[in-house]
Amino acid sequence: MPYFNMDDLDDGVRQKLKEQLEAARKAGLYDALDPKNEEVIYLEGIEETLVQYQGHFLQEQPQADSPYGLGKFKPGTSFQDVMDYRDLDLEFRRKAMTSMNRFEQNFRAAMVRIIRDQIGSDYETYTDPRFMKEEYQLPDGRLIRRGQLKSRLR
């Protein structure tokens, strides 16, 4: 038994879904009316699927009055082509975010080690007045004021 069944939807939702898929077919996606695409559009919405990823496949940009913001697709473009492109993008984003998270954790750990080595392991050194100044002179002569570095990172 399939997970998604159009017959389970109320008439208004079913009609809206059919309108969106028909708009995709008219925009040039030859397989838009394939029943397997109904579930994707229903669960994720036309904006999150076709509209967001259509740019790579367009022959003409969407006009102001284009239904659902769809442009004219290049001949031979299928709904599945756009979904494959979307899946590739989502996988790339996942891997990029994982790598950025790993970098951030390693960078933070390295900074903690450097700070620990400079001020020692004695807890009282954290409150030493020489580390609580309003401004710090760097070895190269530059001056950093408290809060300045934090605001640069934002």
Side-chain angles (χ1 to χ4, degrees), residues 41-58:
I41 295 295
Y42 175 71
L43 294 176
E44 300 180 32
I46 196 165
E47 293 83 11
E48 293 297 318
T49 53
L50 297 179
V51 176
Q52 186 173 349
Y53 294 98
Q54 70 180 342
H56 182 70
F57 301 97
L58 289 182

Side-chain angles (χ1 to χ4, degrees), residues 23-34:
R25 188 195 61 75
K26 286 180 180 175
L29 297 179
Y30 66 85
D31 66 341
L33 298 179
D34 189 323

